[in-house]
Amino acid sequence: MTDPIIRMQNIEKHFGSVIALAGVSVDVFGGECHCLLGDNGAGKSTFIKTMSGVHKPTSGEIIFEGKPLDFADPRDAIAAGIATVHQHLAMIPLMSVSRNFFMGNEPIKKVAGIPFFDHDYANRVTMEEMRKMGINLRGPDQAVGTLSGGERQTVAIARAVHFGAKVLILDEPTSALGVRQTSNVLATIDKVRKQGIAVVFITHNVRHAMAVGDRFTVLNRGKTLGTAERGEITPEELQDLMAGGQELATLEGSLGGTV
Amino acid sequence: MSDASGDERVKELSAFRKALIRPELGGMVGTVAVFTFFLLFAFDSGMFNAQGVLNWSVVSAQFMIIAVGACLLMISGEFDLSVGSMIGFAGMMIAIFGVTLGWPMWMAILVTFVICVAFGALNGYIVVRTGLPSFIVTLATLFILRGFTIFIPQTVERKTIIGGIREAAEGDWLAVLFGGKILTGFFQWMGDAGIIAVFERGSRAGQPVVDGIPMLIIWALVLIVFAHILLTRTRFGNWIFAAGGDADAARNSGVPVNQVKILMFMFTAFCATVFATCQVMEFGSAGADRGLLKEFEAIIAVVIGGALLTGGYGSVIGAALGALIFGVVQQGLFFAGVESSLFRVFLGVILLFAVILNTYIRRIITGER
Ligand SMILES: Nc1ncnc2c1ncn2[C@@H]1O[C@H](COP(=O)(O)OP(=O)(O)OP(=O)(O)O)[C@@H](O)[C@H]1O
Ligand SMILES: [Mg+2]
């Protein structure tokens, strides 16, 4: 088997007295979709933020492509090829879609040696990428503030896919999306994975996870019970793990198996 | 719509609403209104002959220089209340170095620029490090710099106004860039040809009354063009918008927000120093009370120009038009013989209008109701 792109080893993260992560180890492989599941507050977002350079882990080691990694800020992570769609989107409502799309990665066109922002290229690519995701923009200069929550999410995903060179991290990308956009995102994950890129996919929805996942890790109160591979685990078991088994069993009785 | 695959649910934005979304709109309408007003009611006052035009152009250019700095800083999400004190401080430093200490003027100017821009950097550094509102941090700088501006000349010269700058700057290559005039030959020719007025008597008889374009105006134009291109056409401009729009989102996308903000504080300090240098070269002296309230005038010009006080949105052209409105009205009322205190009333009213209009525009852009 190939070596993982990222090895997260015993990651701990404390916020003051809050222990958000209490030693989590996960390996992420190229060409695979790694699903991260768990309840609210389990530490999923915190975990991927240590991968994308937003948080420095309190302890533990991150090995990226065989080398220990020490990102000072998100810029380093992006430069290394890790693209992230954060749960609370990194989108700026007052700015146009294309300015948002290329934020931090602005295309450059040199005129007389001076580097200018290549607006033509940015506008064209933005329209193209959004069309691929099934969203027709009024124009690339439309402000992100006028888009719906799901449309914004789609811009963020399209942006991450466009720039995600080696690792693509998606934090609950499908939670705000409609049926068509959800299947678009799942199809995109599948496509990206086939290009050899590693995908980290956070979701609460077991069906979405089962649809594209190759590996499944469940986080519970900052800890993990380990990683299961596809075929080793059933949706029901996953569901149980996420909600801590027992409670769900009781719930299931009263809700008539609809969860 | 040109895009054939457009969404049929997207209603065409009316041309009116589309125009409203341009931040410069308020500034443009205001400029037209102000000029129409004074052309109708003050045309004979001398406001629109060569001397009158120069008069309000210089005043407007002064406002523009500090408005450009304040504009980029406000778009990046911060304020600088120390601009006025910085103007007084910079002028005083040039006087101390160039007159009291007798340094060559170019050295006095360069060292002053370095000190002031460093103060700008310090402002920015404290703001991004502590996360405190720039309002409070630069309010502190306002008092600190003003205090030094009064204390230093009193200690070394026992007075608060230092003169003799023009004499000390005589023939200096750098001072000319701030205090000189260009196109003097052209104005002499226009005077000779009878297009503009010339002195009739005295030692300057035959010379045109307006004998060139002050470098102050050139500085204003250069700064406007530079800042406009930087903001709209470069990668750094995108970072300025992003830093002010949502600093965390920008950071997560890899924008070096802290550097952007610190650089904008430095740029604001640079603009204030340009203003101060031009001023001391023109007056020939530095005074401890120079630049009073300039920070607010700069901010008002920027807001009239369509920028949002909350950051992330605005335009350099708008800010320049705001400064033009400012200068034309202030001098126009003077020419028209209106009591000058009414200018403040006007200012307050127009500021209120601009802020209300801007808030409405933001709602349109972000689609909230
Ligand atoms: N910046 C922070 N400062 C302090 N505590 C934090 C911070 N970020 C997260 N936490 C805490 O860490 C814990 C894990 O939060 P995290 O956002 O990682 O959960 P999550 O698994 O992503 O939940 P959700 O499914 O709701 O998105 C929570 O208890 C949260 O309160
Ligand atoms: Mg989360």
Side-chain angles (χ1 to χ4, degrees):
Chain A
M1 193 159 60
T2 51
D3 288 334
I5 289 194
I6 301 189
R7 300 191 84 120
M8 308 285 286
Q9 287 176 331
N10 253 317
I11 302 295
E12 288 193 30
K13 178 72 196 175
H14 306 175
F15 295 106
S17 60
V18 180
I19 302 175
L21 296 172
V24 178
S25 303
V26 166
D27 291 347
V28 180
F29 295 85
E32 288 192 2
C33 174
H34 197 121
C35 294
L36 217 49
L37 302 109
D39 255 353
N40 293 124
K44 306 181 295 297
S45 298
T46 309
F47 185 66
I48 60 104
K49 279 180 181 166
T50 62
M51 261 194 234
S52 59
V54 176
H55 292 324
K56 247 184 162 28
T58 310
S59 71
E61 221 182 355
I62 307 178
I63 316 268
F64 182 61
E65 296 187 310
K67 289 183 285 282
L69 163 155
D70 190 24
F71 291 147
D73 64 35
R75 238 183 131 60
D76 294 346
I78 293 166
I82 301 177
T84 311
V85 178
H86 290 282
Q87 184 173 12
H88 304 289
L89 296 172
M91 287 273 142
I92 297 183
L94 281 165
M95 281 163 65
S96 72
V97 177
S98 79
R99 276 184 178 273
N100 263 292
F101 196 96
F102 284 92
M103 178 167 61
N105 285 297
E106 293 82 0
I108 290 300
K109 180 176 62 182
K110 291 223 168 179
V111 179
I114 306 166
F116 285 102
F117 187 150
D118 192 346
H119 282 292
D120 292 337
Y121 174 84
N123 291 345
R124 200 176 57 241
V125 170
T126 305
M127 290 304 274
E128 248 165 50
E129 294 291 333
M130 290 307 287
R131 209 161 13 236
K132 275 192 221 159
M133 299 293 287
I135 292 199
N136 285 309
L137 291 179
R138 193 193 303 145
D141 54 352
Q142 188 178 355
V144 160
T146 60
L147 300 179
S148 79
E151 285 171 330
R152 284 184 214 193
Q153 195 108 45
T154 316
V155 178
I157 294 166
R159 175 174 74 177
V161 170
H162 186 79
F163 294 108
K166 290 166 188 155
V167 181
L168 174 64
I169 303 173
L170 305 169
D171 193 350
E172 299 192 24
T174 51
S175 59
L177 298 190
V179 177
R180 186 158 73 102
Q181 279 72 23
T182 299
S183 56
N184 259 332
V185 168
L186 295 180
T188 307
I189 291 177
D190 188 45
K191 198 170 68 196
V192 168
R193 171 179 59 187
K194 289 204 173 102
Q195 292 164 6
I197 292 171
V199 181
V200 177
F201 176 34
I202 299 184
T203 179
H204 288 284
N205 190 314
V206 174
R207 278 197 296 143
H208 294 172
M210 278 306 194
V212 289
D214 297 298
R215 279 165 210 274
F216 306 89
T217 301
V218 177
L219 281 185
N220 196 347
R221 299 174 64 76
K223 295 200 184 78
T224 168
L225 299 170
T227 301
E229 283 190 42
R230 188 181 191 82
E232 289 177 358
I233 193 165
T234 64
E236 290 73 28
E237 284 169 327
L238 212 49
Q239 190 85 275
D240 281 359
L241 272 176
M242 276 175 67
Q246 270 184 343
E247 301 142 47
L248 203 73
T250 5
L251 257 180
E252 204 156 14
S254 54
L255 293 176
T258 47
V259 206
Chain B
M1 186 186 292
S2 57
D3 189 359
S5 62
D7 192 327
E8 68 289 350
R9 290 180 314 158
V10 178
K11 212 167 58 176
E12 263 302 301
L13 267 190
S14 73
F16 172 69
R17 278 174 81 102
K18 230 178 202 161
L20 258 185
I21 291 180
R22 296 192 63 80
E24 306 88 11
L25 181 87
M28 285 174 180
V29 172
T31 306
V32 171
V34 160
F35 272 99
T36 313
F37 178 83
F38 283 107
L39 280 170
L40 287 179
F41 296 105
F43 189 74
D44 301 326
S45 63
M47 190 181 165
F48 292 99
N49 63 28
Q51 215 182 338
V53 170
L54 182 74
N55 178 294
W56 54 255
S57 299
V58 166
V59 173
S60 302
Q62 288 183 333
F63 286 132
M64 285 175 189
I65 289 174
I66 47 175
V68 167
C71 176
L72 291 195
L73 183 64
M74 194 186 289
I75 296 175
S76 79
E78 306 292 341
F79 287 107
D80 189 350
L81 295 186
S82 67
V83 166
S85 297
M86 183 79 80
I87 289 171
F89 179 77
M92 195 52 77
M93 286 298 107
I94 291 176
I96 299 274
F97 293 144
V99 178
T100 309
L101 299 181
W103 293 3
M105 197 45 78
W106 60 266
M107 200 158 100
I109 294 174
L110 285 184
V111 171
T112 301
F113 265 95
V114 171
I115 294 175
C116 291
V117 171
F119 260 110
L122 184 67
N123 270 340
Y125 184 78
I126 296 174
V127 167
V128 301
R129 274 290 135 190
T130 60
L132 289 170
S134 49
F135 171 82
I136 271 312
V137 172
T138 58
L139 186 63
T141 322
L142 181 159
F143 281 100
I144 293 169
L145 284 179
R146 184 63 74 188
F148 277 131
T149 310
I150 300 168
F151 174 77
I152 295 175
Q154 266 185 338
T155 314
V156 300
E157 291 259 7
R158 308 212 157 277
K159 54 188 181 187
T160 53
I161 296 181
I162 299 181
I165 294 177
R166 202 173 293 144
E167 294 71 23
E170 199 74 54
D172 188 88
W173 61 271
L174 188 59
V176 156
L177 277 186
F178 296 92
K181 289 179 177 169
I182 62 162
L183 295 180
T184 46
F186 178 65
F187 278 84
Q188 183 67 52
W189 172 82
M190 286 206 294
D192 293 342
I195 301 171
I196 56 173
V198 295
F199 285 108
E200 304 287 342
R201 287 184 288 282
S203 60
R204 295 179 63 191
Q207 291 180 12
V209 177
V210 175
D211 60 354
I213 297 179
M215 283 307 291
L216 176 81
I217 294 180
I218 307 303
W219 271 104
L221 295 179
V222 168
L223 284 172
I224 291 167
V225 170
F226 168 77
H228 178 69
I229 291 177
L230 182 74
L231 184 64
T232 58
R233 300 252 160 259
T234 69
R235 152 183 292 189
F236 193 80
N238 211 37
W239 293 354
I240 296 176
F241 280 121
D246 183 338
D248 280 331
R251 246 179 231 121
N252 287 349
S253 301
V255 175
V257 172
N258 291 356
Q259 283 97 311
V260 170
K261 291 194 172 188
I262 292 174
L263 276 170
M264 288 303 98
F265 273 105
M266 292 166 75
F267 181 64
T268 309
F270 176 84
C271 291
T273 313
V274 169
F275 181 108
T277 313
C278 290
Q279 196 182 43
V280 295
M281 291 304 152
E282 189 195 342
F283 290 1
S285 67
D289 62 344
R290 293 277 163 76
L292 225 51
L293 290 182
K294 284 291 167 211
E295 55 280 345
F296 290 112
E297 294 174 353
I299 290 172
I300 294 173
V302 174
V303 171
I304 293 175
L308 291 177
L309 285 159
T310 42
Y313 187 74
S315 131
V316 173
I317 302 295
L321 290 175
L324 181 64
I325 293 174
F326 224 118
V328 170
V329 173
Q330 183 179 318
Q331 297 312 104
L333 292 180
F334 169 74
F335 274 102
V338 176
E339 172 60 37
S340 70
S341 48
L342 284 182
F343 174 62
R344 301 187 179 198
V345 176
F346 162 82
L347 212 59
V349 172
I350 196 174
L351 176 64
L352 210 51
F353 260 111
V355 174
I356 293 170
L357 179 71
N358 289 353
T359 312
Y360 172 66
I361 289 175
R362 192 215 348 233
R363 291 223 185 95
I364 297 182
I365 308 168
T366 57
E368 50 185 90
R369 245 348 79 197

